[in-house]
Amino acid sequence: MNVMNASPRRKELTRLAAQLFVQEGFDRTTVRMLAQEMGIKSGSLFHHFRDKQEILAAVIEEGTENALVIAREALSRCDSHASSRLHAMARAHLETLLTDRNAHVVALYEWRRLDPEARAHLGHLRDAYESLWEEVIDDALATGLIHGDRFLVSRFVMGALNWTVRWYDPDGTRTPDELADELVVMITRSTSTR
Amino acid sequence: MNVMNASPRRKELTRLAAQLFVQEGFDRTTVRMLAQEMGIKSGSLFHHFRDKQEILAAVIEEGTENALVIAREALSRCDSHASSRLHAMARAHLETLLTDRNAHVVALYEWRRLDPEARAHLGHLRDAYESLWEEVIDDALATGLIHGDRFLVSRFVMGALNWTVRWYDPDGTRTPDELADELVVMITRSTSTR
DNA sequence: CATTTACACTAGCGCTTGCTTGGTTGACCC
DNA sequence: GGGTCAACCAAGCAAGCGCTAGTGTAAATG
């Protein structure tokens, strides 16, 4: 059974839930808090979601699907050079991380709270996204743009990028694109100094 | 007021708590679960710790202090070349991340659950550790070993390293030292291909 | 010897939790 | 104009929560 974020009402509720989950954490966010934020009573919540877990799953599903869409679009919009694909992927990654920040923070921090079924379903989604990355990394390795172990490089890169949610300030001076480019510069050989 | 992990009994309890916090998360770990794991009744717990929050603070303090000790020792044991210091720091980081894995996972995931006082105290500890990193990064930048923005590079590197707790398998084929070296290779210019 | 200290126990208070129940409302449809 | 249906509500249940109060006891300390 899929989670289905179809209804617009439900989509809005999911967005609000994501915000609260980030602020308070999943466990400390009560159904009463969620309901109040949504302008309804706690009982009404269970008309839209089977239980609290399903709200969490909806939040994470929304974020991961957006990430997939954005990454695919970014890749389809750029040429076949390993370098531009790497740049595009890094930029796309940071773009979702910031526009759907709440959902992604929840995915990173509250993944363990998912029940086994939801974890399996969303795990496949995440794998689909990560395989996009490995494809791009493979290209970059093949053309000598970067060196090292395929597995390790992709994990290091994703770690560096995902970690940004812990320190990046959207109101600061740096744009997401600058971050992405700086990361690519750091891991690629040969390029001139910026 | 310091948290003081002095008593050996308390140290052992802290270790057990760290394990449970990783397994279940802080909020879902009840004082009754903690007590059972420790072989005492839930009421007895509050002889050792003022409240549940203090257990969390003790866990994180223990891990962070160990990280500081290990990093300082590693740095004092190696020569003054930027390259060897970078290697040493990366290895030390992964060493703590694995030997005190539970404590560090708790620190990464449950930081927000700390009350303001504990957060301030432990924040200073963490800052002391991170400044070790920035020192090493500065050296590497000054000697041209790596390029880029000081702030960004250190955050990217720490992100890549900290992220390892999410995927690294201690029973696998790769040693922590291999991981550290591979990361250094990835971000440094000039070196030969392994 | 008397006293203190460290550690553990039992029993439960006061409160919050996720979720259920049984019902109402109003918009839409043939 | 009877039927359908999503949306919502008031009320509350059973379970579980962190934590406290008061007591017992064996070892260390004077």
Side-chain angles (χ1 to χ4, degrees), chain A residues 149-168:
Chain A
D149 180 281
R150 170 180 186 267
F151 179 85
L152 289 182
V153 168
S154 58
R155 250 131 199 106
F156 284 150
V157 168
M158 295 198 54
L161 287 176
N162 287 333
W163 199 253
T164 56
V165 300
R166 296 182 72 106
W167 56 264
Y168 180 69

Side-chain angles (χ1 to χ4, degrees), chain A residues 12-110:
Chain A
E12 172 64 7
L13 297 182
T14 302
R15 207 184 53 81
L16 288 168
Q19 194 186 334
L20 262 182
F21 287 163
V22 169
Q23 264 174 45
E24 308 286 331
F26 177 70
D27 288 323
R28 290 178 103 92
T29 304
T30 69
V31 292
R32 286 163 179 79
M33 292 163 67
L34 286 164
Q36 192 178 19
E37 194 75 10
M38 299 166 177
I40 57 178
K41 299 297 174 180
S42 73
S44 314
L45 234 170
F46 297 91
H47 171 74
H48 302 278
F49 302 93
R50 192 169 356 107
D51 53 24
K52 198 187 165 192
Q53 290 255 6
E54 196 180 275
I55 308 180
L56 177 62
V59 167
I60 297 183
E61 187 178 42
E62 175 76 7
T64 313
E65 269 173 356
N66 276 359
L68 254 175
V69 168
I70 289 181
R72 280 183 181 140
E73 277 181 4
L75 285 179
S76 75
R77 251 203 316 274
C78 74
D79 60 43
S80 62
H81 286 85
S83 169
S84 34
R85 291 170 71 79
L86 190 60
H87 270 93
M89 198 63 192
R91 290 182 174 208
H93 193 100
L94 283 173
E95 186 188 331
T96 353
L97 225 50
L98 293 169
T99 60
D100 297 306
R101 187 170 188 279
N102 288 338
H104 289 297
V105 169
V106 170
L108 297 181
Y109 278 86
E110 316 284 1

Side-chain angles (χ1 to χ4, degrees), chain B residues 76-148:
Chain B
S76 75
R77 252 203 315 274
C78 75
D79 60 44
S80 62
H81 285 85
S83 169
S84 36
R85 290 171 69 80
L86 190 60
H87 270 93
M89 198 63 193
R91 289 182 175 208
H93 194 101
L94 284 172
E95 186 189 330
T96 353
L97 224 50
L98 293 169
T99 60
D100 298 307
R101 187 173 189 279
N102 287 340
H104 289 297
V105 170
V106 170
L108 296 181
Y109 278 84
E110 315 283 0
W111 184 266
R112 299 142 29 91
R113 303 283 160 262
L114 291 168
D115 54 37
E117 310 152 41
R119 202 179 306 188
H121 166 54
L122 297 172
H124 289 135
L125 262 185
R126 200 192 48 184
D127 289 347
Y129 178 78
E130 292 192 355
S131 70
L132 285 183
W133 259 111
E134 300 211 327
E135 222 174 272
V136 170
I137 296 279
D138 278 344
D139 276 8
L141 285 169
T143 59
L145 188 66
I146 57 179
H147 292 264

